[in-house]
Amino acid sequence: MGIALIWSIITILVRWIFSKRRGAISYDSSDQTALYIRMLDVRVRSQVGFEPERRGSHPYLGVDFRTLHSRAESAGSIPARRIRRLFSFQRHLLSSRLLRGAPHLNPLHILDEDYCGQAKCMLEKVGSWNFDIFLFDRLTNGNSLVFLTFHLLSQYGLIELFQLDMVKVRRFLVLVQEDYHNQNPYHNAVHAADVTQAMHCYLREPKLAQSLTSFDILLGLLAAATHDLDHPGVNQPFLIKTNHYLAALYRNTSVLENHHWRSAVGLLRETELFSHLPAEDSLSIERQLGSLILATDISRQNEYLSRFRTHLDENDLNLGNASHRHFVLQMALKCADICNPCRPWELSKQWSEKVTEEFFHQGDIEKKLKLEISPLCDSEANTIASVQIGFMTYVVEPLFAEWARFSDTRLSQTMLGHLGLNKASWSTMEPEASGSSEDGESDPARSSEEPSSRALTQGSPES
């Protein structure tokens, strides 16, 4: 009895300690954010040896999706990386001119000492569409999302304008980066950094640069950085058919996007990034951030695209109208999220391989669990080339064609040019990859056309 009592006390104490990290908002059944943050406590406790709570009796609810794409290196390298980042953060705190009593008007040097020369040189060209996020991530020791986002917030003058505490900004970005699963081949912090850089490119386009407010820019950058926060490496259909608790929590509707949004809200509240603003303004930021992130739901692609096309046909987009500006931000984020096929081939090919690897991993898991394999997730029935050709044809081309109508600039033409060249490059690989027979029974061109747009949309790795 004594041992059992002591163990119960220890368990309660550990749960209380970790509730300070993920359960800072007390449970209230009427507050969905609070409910969500309390549920996240399960994930944290699982990292220190506690078994995830069972929700019902379904056998798949105990699956830890964070380990689905784990590599052999993960056991030792992840703690070491986190320690390096912690030391880096402490070094910034100690060396910050702000903490040495420098005037608040000179706040933007907190990261200077940690920039190596090459990374700093790259940031000077952060608006280039050829920006190599993979190289930048290596130069920053895996901290591309933190450094790039902080740099952009500084470059736009948002830290000073909104009187943000640099220590809170830094802590928020570090927590955001840590909440991405770097075991995922595609949906990781590097992808988030890439989307943030693309969003920056779009924000600089003439129509947007002349119309967007600083508040719009702040929302756009934050949404880009957090749009896939805590992505489990599997798509919504997988979560639904395994009866995962997130699917139940969000009633099978935009499950991942709601999850990303609520994760971002949790970190904003935890770090108190906007605690100095009136409560109404903070809530407005959270709501509009959610509206942007929810727009990245690929299953609603046709809905947003039809609305965008109607606006362009009727020529009634008024960027002086706040709701119209917000809609354009939604479309910009959607473009940034799936812009990989529009990058130069060297970059685009790497992203294509990573997203297909993650897709095929899901198919392997579905086979192992004896589930129906999701569209395009079967590595035996699909190739990287066939998946990419279908994705470009049915999802990417229609979106970027309309974006080019809205913003007919050199960047838009460059993106469409890369898209055409990349699609042609994949097409040349498809006959070899598909193993076409000598008698001509297999037609690669026809096979690339076979998947319906509905199947691609629902089965997309972006879902």
Side-chain angles (χ1 to χ4, degrees):
M1 287 293 293
I3 295 177
L5 178 61
I6 292 173
W7 180 248
S8 298
I9 294 174
I10 293 174
T11 301
I12 293 172
L13 285 174
V14 171
R15 290 186 178 184
W16 178 81
I17 291 171
F18 279 95
S19 72
K20 296 298 182 181
R21 169 68 178 89
R22 288 292 184 190
I25 301 176
S26 61
Y27 171 76
D28 180 349
S29 59
S30 65
D31 184 347
Q32 208 175 25
T33 303
L35 170 62
Y36 170 71
I37 293 175
R38 292 297 301 166
M39 296 181 80
L40 274 183
D41 185 57
V42 175
R43 180 165 64 85
V44 176
R45 284 187 285 111
S46 70
Q47 292 179 343
V48 293
F50 287 95
E51 289 296 324
E53 294 178 358
R54 305 286 291 187
R55 294 173 178 79
S57 59
H58 198 285
Y60 304 133
L61 294 183
V63 176
D64 184 356
F65 296 111
R66 293 175 295 108
T67 64
L68 295 184
H69 308 296
S70 59
R71 306 290 201 282
E73 60 168 13
S74 61
S77 62
I78 292 177
R81 183 166 62 250
R82 288 178 177 172
I83 290 173
R84 287 198 299 272
R85 290 174 182 169
L86 177 60
F87 286 154
S88 178
F89 184 33
Q90 292 174 337
R91 185 164 65 254
H92 293 324
L93 292 178
L94 292 173
S95 64
S96 169
R97 290 182 174 88
L98 180 65
L99 297 183
R100 292 177 181 174
H104 184 70
L105 294 178
N106 188 24
L108 304 181
H109 304 285
I110 193 169
L111 299 182
D112 284 359
E113 294 183 6
D114 209 44
Y115 280 146
C116 68
Q118 295 179 57
K120 188 173 181 180
C121 181
M122 284 193 70
L123 284 177
E124 292 176 357
K125 300 179 180 179
V126 71
S128 168
W129 190 246
N130 298 333
F131 191 86
D132 188 340
I133 196 64
F134 298 110
L135 173 60
F136 185 72
D137 191 65
R138 292 193 294 271
L139 292 176
T140 56
N141 193 31
N143 290 283
S144 57
L145 182 58
V146 173
F147 290 148
L148 185 138
T149 308
F150 190 96
H151 174 80
L152 292 177
L153 292 173
S154 302
Q155 180 172 300
Y156 281 106
L158 301 174
I159 294 179
E160 185 173 348
L161 181 63
F162 289 95
Q163 298 182 343
L164 302 178
D165 185 319
M166 284 191 301
V167 174
K168 290 181 179 180
V169 172
R170 169 73 182 184
R171 181 167 180 253
F172 171 75
L173 293 177
V174 168
L175 291 178
V176 166
Q177 182 172 266
E178 291 292 351
D179 269 8
Y180 278 96
H181 302 178
N182 286 331
Q183 297 93 334
N184 293 343
Y186 182 82
H187 287 105
N188 52 43
V190 183
H191 166 65
D194 186 61
V195 172
T196 304
Q197 190 272 336
M199 190 66 168
H200 168 59
C201 292
Y202 300 150
L203 295 177
R204 296 172 69 239
E205 290 287 78
K207 279 191 175 181
L208 277 72
Q210 296 167 8
S211 307
L212 296 180
T213 66
S214 296
F215 182 73
D216 296 328
I217 295 172
L218 176 66
L219 279 174
L221 294 177
L222 290 180
T226 61
H227 81 285
D228 273 335
L229 194 59
D230 198 35
H231 196 293
V234 291
N235 61 17
Q236 173 174 293
F238 184 93
L239 297 179
I240 292 175
K241 65 186 174 186
T242 56
N243 292 333
H244 192 262
Y245 76 91
L246 286 176
L249 177 62
Y250 298 116
R251 302 178 182 179
N252 297 345
T253 303
S254 297
V255 175
L256 285 172
E257 291 72 30
N258 272 299
H259 179 61
H260 306 323
W261 169 33
R262 294 298 183 177
S263 296
V265 169
L267 293 185
L268 285 174
R269 295 187 181 185
E270 178 180 337
T271 58
E272 299 182 334
L273 184 61
F274 298 118
S275 61
H276 62 292
L277 300 178
E280 183 178 343
D281 292 345
S282 296
L283 290 175
S284 177
I285 291 174
E286 292 177 1
R287 284 194 298 268
Q288 294 193 55
L289 185 66
S291 177
L292 291 175
I293 293 176
L294 288 173
T296 63
D297 184 351
I298 202 73
S299 68
R300 300 177 62 190
Q301 179 84 350
N302 290 335
E303 171 191 337
Y304 282 93
L305 190 57
S306 296
R307 182 181 167 192
F308 194 36
R309 186 177 290 121
T310 299
H311 277 303
L312 295 176
D313 290 342
E314 298 179 359
N315 194 29
D316 63 354
L317 272 177
N318 175 17
L319 296 184
N321 182 300
S323 63
H324 284 199
R325 289 199 308 274
H326 187 77
F327 175 66
V328 169
L329 272 182
Q330 289 177 317
M331 299 307 299
L333 182 58
K334 288 176 68 62
C335 287
D337 190 24
I338 61 171
C339 71
N340 303 145
C342 301
R343 296 283 194 180
W345 171 251
E346 294 77 12
L347 301 175
S348 179
K349 183 173 182 290
Q350 292 183 68
W351 285 120
S352 297
E353 293 169 346
K354 290 176 181 295
V355 74
T356 310
E357 177 187 354
E358 187 170 302
F359 222 11
F360 288 168
H361 266 299
Q362 176 178 320
D364 293 341
I365 296 164
E366 289 168 332
K367 291 178 185 177
K368 182 178 180 180
L369 298 178
K370 300 188 185 312
L371 300 171
E372 180 183 357
I373 302 177
S374 298
L376 309 181
C377 289
D378 190 348
S379 58
E380 297 177 2
N382 299 278
T383 64
I384 298 178
S386 65
V387 171
Q388 288 305 307
I389 292 171
F391 185 61
M392 291 177 182
T393 301
Y394 295 107
V395 181
V396 182
E397 285 180 346
L399 176 61
F400 280 88
E402 298 304 319
W403 181 261
R405 286 180 61 197
F406 165 72
S407 179
D408 186 10
T409 63
R410 181 178 180 180
L411 174 59
S412 292
Q413 298 307 315
T414 297
M415 291 190 296
L416 289 176
H418 286 314
L419 178 60
L421 291 173
N422 293 338
K423 185 177 179 181
S425 296
W426 285 119
S427 296
T428 61
M429 299 180 186
E430 177 59 4
E432 178 182 349
S434 62
S436 56
S437 60
E438 294 181 0
D439 57 15
E441 291 180 0
S442 174
D443 184 357
R446 185 182 63 209
S447 64
S448 68
E449 296 288 328
E450 285 178 355
S452 67
S453 58
R454 178 179 175 83
L456 279 163
T457 298
Q458 291 184 340
S460 168
E462 306 294 339
S463 297

